[in-house]
Amino acid sequence: MSATANTSTAEEVVSAEVKVCSGCNHRLSPEARTMAEEMHKNVTMGADSYLHMLPHVKDDRIKTDITAAMCYYEKLAGKIKEVLREGGGEPKEGSMMAKMSARAGITMNTAMDNTDSHIAQMLIEGCTMSITTATKLVNHAEGKEGTEELREMCRDWAKFEEDHIEALKKFL
């Protein structure tokens, strides 16, 4: 995603290209399959959390940022699915218990404080967790067969999250 001076726009996020090897028809190594499954689980969990948070947000600018980020997550999840299916795998969803726990946490947090600043703080914390996950996936896959494309996708995902944090800081 391109960003200008520490901000991003919804249009930039929606038009952000999710890079993937188009037309690749190769089997995934076990390491690559595990990595892609973990990526998919985390990206879809992020999208689900954002979707659940949206009704609690008052500021239309934050709603726009959340909606744009959800578009990016959906694009990325779609590309990961594509890589998995082309490589002989199937995407895995996060557990229902994990989703319910995240949703309950969002509901409780926003019930106690639904100010723009607190919502932005919660989103930034989620972005930070995504950066940590993406970075761990890249580091653990370093030098492992068939993971270069996925490592690149993780680096792009982490960059997206960094840019999203910068855009959210104005609400703190």
Side-chain angles (χ1 to χ4, degrees):
M1 178 179 83
S2 64
T4 59
N6 294 336
T7 62
S8 66
T9 65
E11 294 82 20
E12 287 175 324
V13 173
V14 171
S15 66
E17 183 180 335
V18 177
K19 297 175 192 163
V20 70
C21 173
S22 60
C24 288
N25 192 9
H26 51 77
R27 302 284 305 162
L28 290 174
S29 67
E31 294 87 1
R33 180 176 293 114
T34 299
M35 183 178 185
E37 288 170 350
E38 188 67 20
M39 288 171 66
H40 188 267
K41 181 179 75 170
N42 281 279
V43 170
T44 56
M45 184 71 160
D48 185 72
S49 295
Y50 271 34
L51 182 63
H52 190 70
M53 183 175 279
L54 205 51
H56 302 282
V57 178
K58 295 179 282 184
D59 190 299
D60 285 339
R61 297 170 303 160
I62 298 175
K63 283 183 181 183
T64 300
D65 281 356
I66 290 172
T67 303
M70 287 171 39
C71 288
Y72 176 83
Y73 295 147
E74 291 299 321
K75 283 182 187 180
L76 182 56
K79 294 297 182 179
I80 297 166
K81 263 188 204 178
E82 191 178 307
V83 168
L84 277 165
R85 289 192 175 136
E86 285 179 2
E90 275 299 314
K92 294 194 170 139
E93 299 290 326
S95 73
M96 185 51 73
M97 187 59 112
K99 286 182 183 181
M100 289 173 53
S101 177
R103 290 174 183 175
I106 290 167
T107 300
M108 287 183 357
N109 257 302
T110 55
M112 292 180 350
D113 183 356
N114 71 343
T115 61
D116 295 343
S117 177
H118 185 69
I119 296 286
Q121 178 184 342
M122 289 172 62
L123 293 168
I124 289 169
E125 288 169 3
C127 291
T128 302
M129 289 186 332
S130 292
I131 292 167
T132 301
T133 298
T135 303
K136 279 182 178 179
L137 287 168
V138 168
N139 291 342
H140 289 269
E142 191 66 40
K144 302 229 172 117
E145 178 187 343
T147 62
E148 183 51 46
E149 176 184 359
L150 294 167
R151 284 184 286 144
E152 185 63 29
M153 289 171 70
C154 277
R155 286 189 283 271
D156 290 344
W157 174 27
K159 175 71 172 117
F160 167 80
E161 298 292 2
E162 290 168 2
D163 291 346
H164 194 204
I165 287 171
E166 287 304 315
L168 291 167
K169 285 180 180 179
K170 67 183 170 233
F171 300 107
L172 294 175

